[in-house]
Amino acid sequence: QVELVESGGGLVQPGGSLRLSCVASGSGFSVRAMAWYRQAPGKERELVARIVPGGNADYSDSVKGRFTIYGDSAKNTVTLQMNSLQPEDTAVYYCNLEAIKNDLWVYWGQGTQVTVSS
């Protein structure tokens, strides 16, 4: 059984920073990619950043230059460093794992709230 446990998030003022972390527990799988998505009220869930083993990462245009995603393949962890946060970054952030175990499996964390407000 694979489980994603997220930590971080909270309330921050505009221009501030937060760090989100996610650990994937379980065994018998390999990681194809780990990512962070977010969903704001009334909006669809969207990709924020995605990283593959080896370190190649992709970002949504709205966070490029402000957010950085880090991955540790050995520990199956992924971290999202968020700088220069703005009110429009307010959302529930979800950790995502694309795992290979005979087939492709996709797992989600429970979500963590990020609120940017003065």
Side-chain angles (χ1 to χ4, degrees), residues 38-45 87-92 113-115:
R38 68 185 180 187
Q39 187 167 19
K43 295 188 177 181
E44 293 186 353
R45 190 172 297 189
E88 52 266 33
D89 295 315
T90 296
V92 178
Q113 178 69 46
V114 171
T115 302

Side-chain angles (χ1 to χ4, degrees), residues 2 14 19 21-22 24 44 54 63 65 76 85 90-91 98-99 106 108:
V2 177
R19 176 175 293 186
S21 295
C22 175
E44 293 186 353
V63 307
N76 289 339
L85 283 161
T90 296
E98 299 170 33
V106 179
W108 293 92

Side-chain angles (χ1 to χ4, degrees), residues 45-56:
R45 190 172 297 189
E46 64 173 358
L47 175 65
V48 175
R50 180 177 180 268
I51 190 166
V52 298
N56 287 335

Side-chain angles (χ1 to χ4, degrees), residues 87-115:
E88 52 266 33
D89 295 315
T90 296
V92 178
Y93 284 69
Y94 296 91
C95 180
N96 170 275
L97 166 66
E98 299 170 33
I100 301 293
K101 184 177 182 180
N102 298 320
D103 203 344
L104 174 64
W105 299 86
V106 179
Y107 298 93
W108 293 92
Q110 78 281 5
T112 185
Q113 178 69 46
V114 171
T115 302

Side-chain angles (χ1 to χ4, degrees), residues 4-107:
L4 301 182
V5 179
E6 301 154 342
S7 60
L11 173 64
V12 65
Q13 293 186 343
S17 298
L18 282 175
R19 176 175 293 186
L20 305 181
S21 295
C22 175
V23 179
S25 63
S27 61
F29 66 92
S30 60
V31 174
R32 188 173 84 165
M34 294 190 77
W36 288 95
Y37 287 71
R38 68 185 180 187
Q39 187 167 19
K43 295 188 177 181
E44 293 186 353
R45 190 172 297 189
E46 64 173 358
L47 175 65
V48 175
R50 180 177 180 268
I51 190 166
V52 298
N56 287 335
D58 293 305
Y59 298 89
S60 69
D61 288 343
S62 62
V63 307
K64 279 181 182 176
R66 300 188 298 122
F67 292 11
T68 305
I69 189 169
Y70 302 94
D72 186 331
S73 298
K75 298 180 180 179
N76 289 339
T77 62
V78 63
T79 299
L80 185 68
Q81 177 65 42
M82 304 184 292
N83 299 329
S84 301
L85 283 161
Q86 300 301 317
E88 52 266 33
D89 295 315
T90 296
V92 178
Y93 284 69
Y94 296 91
C95 180
N96 170 275
L97 166 66
E98 299 170 33
I100 301 293
K101 184 177 182 180
N102 298 320
D103 203 344
L104 174 64
W105 299 86
V106 179
Y107 298 93

